Amino acid sequence: MATLDERVALLEGTVGEHSHMLSGIRDALVHLEQRIEERFRLFEQRFGMLDRVLERIERRFDAIDQRFEAIDRRFDAIDRRFEAVDRRFEAVDRQFEAVNQRFEPVDRRFEVMDDKMSRQFTWLVGIQMTTLAAVVTTLAAVVAALVRR
């Protein structure tokens, strides 16, 4: 069995090794903490850059939204113009309807006169054909009388 001094020496050696290991672990932890802090700093920088990029994108979208709003206002103005033109066309259509209503009696008169003239033409042609038949018959009678003599 080992003596007390040997045991104490063994314990001191073990404690020294543990102390040395703890010192190495402490150094490793410090180094790990520094690396983690560096990573967080890099993340913060990247997130800062990302935030700036996102802010620029948001400004672009805001500008695009403003352009669309301006375009919408222009389209609204054009729509109002077309509505005004449509109202003018409707007014002109109403005026034409009024003019058409004025001409309806005249159109009826022309239709009545056309019917009357058609009937008169038919009578005139009939009378002329009758006269022609009478003249031809008379001429035939005169020719027949002359031939008999």
Side-chain angles (χ1 to χ4, degrees), residues 21-126:
M21 269 194 329
L22 284 176
S23 175
I25 291 173
R26 186 177 301 125
D27 290 341
L29 285 175
V30 167
H31 181 68
L32 179 64
E33 185 179 343
Q34 289 173 350
R35 285 179 44 203
I36 288 173
E37 286 178 5
E38 180 67 22
R39 293 285 176 153
F40 277 126
R41 188 182 61 74
L42 288 173
F43 279 137
E44 286 176 4
Q45 285 178 351
R46 288 182 182 169
F47 280 128
M49 289 188 309
L50 184 62
D51 285 342
R52 287 189 295 275
V53 168
L54 289 176
E55 286 173 4
R56 282 190 303 229
I57 290 172
E58 284 181 22
R59 284 194 300 270
R60 287 181 184 170
F61 276 119
D62 289 342
I64 290 170
D65 285 342
Q66 290 173 355
R67 288 179 186 168
F68 277 125
E69 288 172 2
I71 290 170
D72 285 343
R73 285 192 299 272
R74 289 179 186 166
F75 277 128
D76 289 340
I78 290 170
D79 285 342
R80 285 191 299 273
R81 288 180 187 168
F82 276 118
E83 288 170 2
V85 169
D86 286 342
R87 286 192 299 273
R88 288 179 189 163
F89 277 124
E90 290 170 0
V92 168
D93 285 343
R94 285 192 298 273
Q95 289 174 349
F96 277 125
E97 288 174 9
V99 169
N100 283 340
Q101 288 175 353
R102 285 186 196 166
F103 278 108
E104 283 179 10
V106 173
D107 287 342
R108 282 194 299 274
R109 285 183 192 167
F110 276 121
E111 288 172 5
V112 168
M113 286 177 63
D114 186 41
D115 290 342
K116 185 178 178 181
M117 289 181 76
S118 292
R119 279 192 313 273
Q120 288 176 353
F121 180 74
T122 304
W123 276 100
L124 180 65
V125 169

